[in-house]
Amino acid sequence: MSTATMGLVESLLARPLIGLQIDGASRPGSGGETIEVLNPADGSHLATVAAATAADVDDAVAAAEAAFPAWSALPAQDRAALIHRFADLLERHAPELARLESLDVGKLLGDAEGFDIPFAIEAFRYFADLSVHTRPSEPLALKGIEARQLHVPYGVCGSIIPWNSPLVLFAWNVAPALAAGNTAVIKPAELAPLTPLAAGELAREVGIPDGVLNVVPGHGHVAGAALAAHPRIRRIAFTGSPEVGRLVAQSAAANLVPAKLELGGKGAAVVFDDVDVVRTADSLANAITLNAGQICCTATRWLVQRPIFDELVDRARETLAGARLGAGLAEGTTLGPVISEPQRQRVLRYLEVGQQQGASFLLEGGAARPEGLEDGFFVSPALLTGPVDNVCAQEEIFGPVAYVLPFDREEDAIAIANDTAYGLANSVWSADVGRANAVAERLVAGNSWINAHNVFAYGLPYGGINLSGFGGGVNSPQTFADYLRDQTIGRPLV
């Protein structure tokens, strides 16, 4: 049923099967397997989605390959016009997309409406505009040679995205790839594929040619593995865990395909004793309840200077204890569910092992069953403290949990913050902006923020190092350049 006669959410969820999107058509998976998508707030059935096989991924790559010559040959202005039309249509459906994302992921409707959906839409406009202001050819000043360097699209770009912010991650991968003249095959997470599938259908409505954008939901070990190892993709991007990121990198390396990996994090917030304690505590509490703590760059290690340690912990504990657990669509909810029962069990297991290794609760969180949502996947927020080498201080938990440690000297805070295998994002909190900048420069990570955490803006590069990934970032001109390869042409002047 068309979205013209039925609302976007109702139209999608009413279907007995939501198909793969390959070469402009919706179709079942060739193996007949499906994915049951659940509402994390109550465990109820949301939708049945086709699961792609390796053969389906091959078909999607073939469709993208066939569409590439015509798409890449379009003038940048023409591609940008289509991408802007796509963004306009997404914006017209923004309230429905926000509702769908809240249902699918469990995040608060206000967060989806206020950030996720608008920020995803902005990505398409940002990269479309970048594409028309990027010179496709630059002269090189060389003695005795007439030379120039071209910036040309790679071809078929594969992307594997996670479930925590599916439309934003869809946009971060699709927008720069298409704006640069590439075609795309994207595999959304099996736990939350609905907004990427909805967006893929809207792309067809605005006239983006068949085969340019293909969406193939499926299981990671089947569809994701097939895409990462496909010999005819020319670039692969993966967002997710370091463990799976290694597998993607190995597959890409076998075909000598460049890989962009955006992986996990264990963000530190370094808090000095000259801050506004109430404001800072509330900001950090909000950081671990945002999307139920399922954000790779969020502040999960709080390093607090000792004179204000107790005061800040007391305020954060009060704020977090007042969290109202519930469905993301419910008015008044301040903490939604985690994505699935396995993810819930993962968080609970970390709390258990952390205690076994000597951590103690500053705020005892854990298993929660809100009234009327007993089958939902809820975890109440937790604050722990203890040894620096505790598993909860060292590994990414991906839930509403923070590990809080006191420090005395600036040097101590820097050492603790850098004592991690990750390298994604940290923040420094101080009324002394000079000191905050100096400390931020010494933190080993792709991103350092001052007096705020989770700061995103187009034009502000974002990416990780070490266990948090490599191969370029998102949100900036460098991202667009990642989707173009360089080619030089030279003619000796004899």
Side-chain angles (χ1 to χ4, degrees):
M1 188 175 292
S2 167
T3 57
T5 59
M6 193 177 196
L8 180 70
V9 176
E10 290 76 11
S11 172
L12 202 66
L13 300 186
R15 299 177 196 172
L17 178 70
I18 302 172
L20 313 175
Q21 296 172 12
I22 299 175
D23 202 17
S26 177
R27 71 184 217 191
S30 60
E33 293 189 12
T34 59
I35 298 164
E36 300 304 313
V37 181
L38 303 181
N39 182 338
D42 59 12
S44 65
H45 172 84
L46 271 180
T48 301
V49 174
T53 65
D56 297 321
V57 170
D58 189 58
D59 288 348
V61 172
E65 210 170 29
F68 172 69
W71 180 251
S72 62
L74 280 177
Q77 293 88 339
D78 293 353
R79 286 197 304 269
L82 279 171
I83 294 169
H84 268 283
R85 285 175 56 193
F86 182 32
D88 292 343
L89 186 57
L90 289 171
E91 189 167 61
R92 288 199 291 275
H93 287 286
E96 297 166 284
L97 289 167
R99 182 171 159 235
L100 186 62
E101 187 126 322
S102 179
L103 282 169
D104 201 11
V105 180
K107 66 177 57 188
L108 274 57
L109 179 61
D111 293 338
E113 289 177 329
F115 177 77
D116 290 76
I117 306 307
F119 202 62
I121 293 167
E122 189 180 352
F124 288 99
R125 292 178 173 141
Y126 175 77
F127 287 110
D129 290 344
L130 265 184
S131 70
V132 299
H133 294 104
T134 299
R135 297 175 65 179
S137 176
E138 296 178 292
L140 301 174
L142 301 175
K143 182 180 180 180
I145 303 174
E146 179 187 82
R148 65 190 187 279
Q149 185 172 55
L150 306 181
H151 307 295
V152 296
Y154 280 89
V156 181
C157 294
S159 299
I160 303 169
I161 64 170
W163 42 259
N164 57 333
S165 292
L167 196 64
V168 169
L169 273 297
F170 173 90
W172 284 359
N173 284 268
V174 170
L178 266 56
N182 301 283
T183 54
V185 178
I186 187 160
K187 193 208 86 66
E190 56 265 37
L191 290 172
L194 298 182
T195 49
L197 284 164
E201 292 194 1
L202 294 175
R204 287 156 55 191
E205 286 189 26
V206 301
I208 289 179
D210 294 348
V212 168
L213 173 59
N214 306 272
V215 185
V216 286
H219 297 287
H221 68 281
V222 178
L227 184 57
H230 203 286
R232 297 200 311 281
I233 62 166
R234 293 294 173 257
R235 187 166 185 83
I236 186 75
F238 170 79
T239 306
S241 70
E243 294 78 15
V244 179
R246 288 190 181 96
L247 299 176
V248 171
Q250 290 167 7
S251 294
N255 294 320
L256 298 180
V257 168
K260 177 200 292 283
L261 304 180
E262 298 290 339
L263 308 178
K266 193 68 179 175
V270 178
V271 183
F272 287 98
D273 61 6
D274 59 352
V275 299
D276 180 325
V277 172
V278 170
R279 174 185 173 275
T280 305
D282 288 351
S283 295
L284 293 177
N286 290 336
I288 66 164
T289 56
L290 181 66
N291 203 21
Q294 299 167 125
I295 300 174
C296 55
C297 59
T298 204
T300 55
R301 291 183 297 151
W302 302 356
L303 315 182
V304 183
Q305 202 160 25
R306 199 175 299 275
I308 62 166
F309 183 87
D310 290 340
E311 183 184 359
L312 186 138
V313 167
D314 287 345
R315 174 66 186 194
R317 183 164 44 213
E318 178 184 350
T319 300
L320 292 170
R324 294 183 59 183
L325 278 65
L329 291 177
E331 187 175 351
T333 296
T334 61
L335 176 59
V338 296
I339 188 67
S340 66
E341 182 59 23
Q343 181 62 23
R344 179 175 176 271
Q345 292 300 325
R346 169 190 166 92
V347 177
L348 298 180
R349 178 61 178 160
Y350 265 109
L351 296 179
E352 179 184 349
V353 174
Q355 283 185 288
Q356 292 171 358
Q357 293 184 358
S360 58
F361 280 117
L362 296 168
L363 173 66
E364 185 169 358
R369 298 292 190 190
E371 185 177 353
L373 299 172
E374 288 81 7
D375 293 328
F377 314 132
F378 290 91
V379 178
S380 61
L383 297 176
L384 299 98
T385 192
V388 176
D389 61 354
N390 187 277
V391 65
C392 290
Q394 292 296 320
E395 296 185 12
E396 184 177 45
I397 298 172
F398 229 54
V401 179
Y403 203 88
V404 192
L405 292 164
F407 73 89
D408 294 301
R409 301 178 306 119
E410 180 179 302
E411 292 297 323
D412 300 333
I414 293 169
I416 296 169
N418 289 340
D419 182 22
T420 176
Y422 295 97
L424 188 51
N426 299 310
S427 57
V428 183
W429 302 73
S430 175
D432 184 339
V433 176
R435 174 170 66 176
N437 273 285
V439 171
E441 290 179 3
R442 296 179 62 190
L443 299 182
V444 180
N447 310 275
S448 289
W449 300 314
I450 294 174
N451 293 332
H453 207 98
N454 297 328
V455 180
F456 297 98
Y458 292 105
L460 179 67
Y462 170 87
I465 61 170
N466 301 334
L467 205 60
S468 294
F470 63 79
V474 299
N475 290 2
S476 70
Q478 293 95 315
T479 311
F480 183 72
D482 284 342
Y483 284 92
L484 294 167
R485 63 175 180 83
D486 293 332
Q487 178 176 338
T488 59
I489 298 175
R491 180 177 69 88
L493 299 174
V494 178

Coordinates of all heavy atoms in Angstrom, one line a residue, residues 216-248:
V216 N 19.7 -4.3 2.2 CA 19.6 -5.8 2.3 C 19.8 -6.1 3.8 O 20.8 -6.5 4.3 CB 20.7 -6.5 1.5 CG1 20.3 -6.4 0.0 CG2 22.1 -5.9 1.7
P217 N 18.7 -6.1 4.5 CA 18.7 -6.5 5.9 C 19.0 -8.0 6.0 O 18.7 -8.8 5.0 CB 17.3 -6.3 6.4 CG 16.4 -6.2 5.2 CD 17.3 -5.7 4.1
G218 N 19.6 -8.5 7.0 CA 20.0 -9.9 7.2 C 20.8 -10.1 8.4 O 21.2 -9.1 9.1
H219 N 21.1 -11.3 8.6 CA 22.0 -11.6 9.8 C 23.4 -11.3 9.5 O 23.9 -11.5 8.4 CB 21.8 -13.1 10.2 CG 20.4 -13.5 10.6 ND1 19.9 -13.1 11.8 CD2 19.5 -14.2 9.9 CE1 18.7 -13.5 11.9 NE2 18.4 -14.2 10.8
G220 N 24.1 -10.8 10.5 CA 25.5 -10.4 10.3 C 26.4 -11.5 9.8 O 27.2 -11.2 8.9
H221 N 26.3 -12.7 10.3 CA 27.2 -13.8 9.9 C 26.9 -14.3 8.5 O 27.7 -15.0 7.9 CB 27.1 -14.9 10.9 CG 25.8 -15.7 10.9 ND1 24.7 -15.2 11.6 CD2 25.4 -16.8 10.4 CE1 23.7 -16.0 11.4 NE2 24.1 -17.0 10.7
V222 N 25.7 -13.9 7.9 CA 25.4 -14.3 6.6 C 25.5 -13.1 5.6 O 26.4 -13.0 4.8 CB 23.9 -14.9 6.5 CG1 23.6 -15.2 5.1 CG2 23.8 -16.1 7.4
A223 N 24.6 -12.1 5.7 CA 24.6 -11.0 4.8 C 25.7 -10.0 5.0 O 26.4 -9.6 4.1 CB 23.2 -10.2 4.9
G224 N 26.0 -9.8 6.3 CA 27.1 -8.9 6.6 C 28.4 -9.5 6.2 O 29.3 -8.8 5.6
A225 N 28.6 -10.7 6.4 CA 29.9 -11.4 6.0 C 30.0 -11.4 4.5 O 31.1 -11.2 4.0 CB 29.9 -12.8 6.6
A226 N 28.9 -11.7 3.8 CA 29.0 -11.7 2.4 C 29.3 -10.4 1.8 O 30.1 -10.3 0.8 CB 27.6 -12.2 1.8
L227 N 28.8 -9.3 2.4 CA 29.0 -7.9 1.8 C 30.5 -7.6 2.1 O 31.2 -7.0 1.2 CB 28.1 -6.9 2.5 CG 28.2 -5.5 2.0 CD1 28.0 -5.4 0.5 CD2 27.2 -4.6 2.7
A228 N 31.0 -7.8 3.3 CA 32.4 -7.5 3.6 C 33.4 -8.2 2.8 O 34.4 -7.7 2.5 CB 32.6 -7.8 5.1
A229 N 33.0 -9.4 2.4 CA 34.0 -10.3 1.6 C 33.7 -10.2 0.1 O 34.5 -10.9 -0.6 CB 33.9 -11.7 2.1
H230 N 32.8 -9.4 -0.3 CA 32.4 -9.4 -1.7 C 33.6 -8.9 -2.6 O 34.1 -7.8 -2.3 CB 31.2 -8.6 -2.0 CG 30.5 -9.0 -3.2 ND1 30.9 -8.7 -4.5 CD2 29.4 -9.8 -3.4 CE1 30.1 -9.2 -5.4 NE2 29.2 -9.8 -4.8
P231 N 34.0 -9.6 -3.6 CA 35.1 -9.2 -4.4 C 34.9 -8.0 -5.3 O 35.8 -7.4 -5.8 CB 35.5 -10.4 -5.2 CG 34.2 -11.1 -5.4 CD 33.5 -10.9 -4.1
R232 N 33.6 -7.6 -5.5 CA 33.3 -6.5 -6.4 C 32.9 -5.2 -5.8 O 32.6 -4.2 -6.5 CB 32.3 -6.9 -7.5 CG 32.8 -8.1 -8.3 CD 32.0 -8.2 -9.6 NE 30.6 -8.2 -9.5 CZ 29.8 -9.2 -9.1 NH1 30.4 -10.3 -8.8 NH2 28.5 -9.1 -9.0
I233 N 32.9 -5.1 -4.4 CA 32.7 -3.8 -3.8 C 34.1 -3.1 -3.8 O 35.1 -3.8 -3.8 CB 32.1 -3.9 -2.4 CG1 33.1 -4.7 -1.4 CG2 30.7 -4.5 -2.4 CD1 32.7 -4.5 0.0
R234 N 34.1 -1.8 -3.8 CA 35.3 -1.1 -3.9 C 35.7 -0.3 -2.6 O 36.8 0.2 -2.5 CB 35.2 -0.1 -5.1 CG 35.2 -0.8 -6.4 CD 36.5 -1.5 -6.7 NE 36.4 -2.3 -7.9 CZ 36.3 -3.6 -7.9 NH1 36.2 -4.3 -6.8 NH2 36.2 -4.3 -9.1
R235 N 34.7 -0.3 -1.7 CA 35.0 0.3 -0.4 C 33.9 -0.3 0.6 O 32.8 -0.5 0.2 CB 34.8 1.8 -0.5 CG 35.3 2.6 0.8 CD 35.4 4.0 0.6 NE 36.0 4.7 1.8 CZ 37.2 4.7 2.1 NH1 38.1 4.2 1.3 NH2 37.6 5.3 3.3
I236 N 34.4 -0.5 1.9 CA 33.5 -1.0 2.9 C 33.5 -0.1 4.1 O 34.6 0.3 4.5 CB 33.8 -2.5 3.2 CG1 32.7 -3.1 4.2 CG2 35.2 -2.6 3.8 CD1 31.4 -3.4 3.5
A237 N 32.4 0.1 4.7 CA 32.3 0.8 6.0 C 31.5 0.0 7.0 O 30.5 -0.6 6.6 CB 31.6 2.2 5.8
F238 N 32.0 0.0 8.2 CA 31.4 -0.8 9.2 C 31.3 0.0 10.5 O 32.3 0.6 10.9 CB 32.1 -2.1 9.5 CG 31.6 -2.8 10.7 CD1 30.5 -3.6 10.7 CD2 32.3 -2.7 12.0 CE1 30.0 -4.3 11.8 CE2 31.9 -3.4 13.1 CZ 30.7 -4.2 13.0
T239 N 30.1 0.0 11.2 CA 30.0 0.6 12.5 C 29.5 -0.5 13.4 O 28.5 -1.1 13.1 CB 29.0 1.8 12.4 OG1 29.4 2.7 11.4 CG2 29.0 2.5 13.8
G240 N 30.2 -0.7 14.5 CA 29.8 -1.7 15.4 C 30.9 -2.0 16.4 O 31.7 -1.2 16.8
S241 N 30.9 -3.3 16.9 CA 31.9 -3.7 17.9 C 33.2 -3.9 17.3 O 33.4 -4.3 16.1 CB 31.4 -5.0 18.5 OG 31.5 -6.1 17.6
P242 N 34.3 -3.8 18.1 CA 35.6 -4.1 17.7 C 35.8 -5.5 17.2 O 36.5 -5.8 16.3 CB 36.5 -3.8 18.9 CG 35.7 -2.8 19.7 CD 34.3 -3.2 19.5
E243 N 35.1 -6.4 17.9 CA 35.2 -7.9 17.6 C 34.8 -8.1 16.1 O 35.5 -8.8 15.3 CB 34.4 -8.7 18.5 CG 34.9 -8.7 20.0 CD 34.5 -7.4 20.7 OE1 33.6 -6.7 20.3 OE2 35.1 -7.2 21.8
V244 N 33.6 -7.6 15.8 CA 33.1 -7.8 14.4 C 33.9 -6.9 13.4 O 34.2 -7.3 12.3 CB 31.6 -7.5 14.3 CG1 31.1 -7.6 12.9 CG2 30.8 -8.4 15.2
G245 N 34.4 -5.7 13.9 CA 35.2 -4.9 13.1 C 36.4 -5.5 12.6 O 36.9 -5.4 11.4
R246 N 37.1 -6.4 13.4 CA 38.3 -7.1 13.0 C 37.9 -8.1 11.9 O 38.7 -8.2 10.9 CB 38.8 -7.9 14.2 CG 39.5 -7.1 15.3 CD 40.2 -8.0 16.3 NE 40.8 -7.2 17.3 CZ 40.3 -7.0 18.5 NH1 39.1 -7.5 18.8 NH2 41.0 -6.3 19.4
L247 N 36.8 -8.7 12.0 CA 36.4 -9.7 10.9 C 36.1 -9.0 9.6 O 36.5 -9.4 8.5 CB 35.1 -10.4 11.3 CG 35.2 -11.3 12.6 CD1 33.9 -11.9 13.0 CD2 36.3 -12.4 12.4
V248 N 35.5 -7.8 9.7 CA 35.2 -7.0 8.5 C 36.6 -6.6 7.8 O 36.8 -6.6 6.6 CB 34.4 -5.8 8.8 CG1 34.3 -4.8 7.6 CG2 32.9 -6.2 9.2

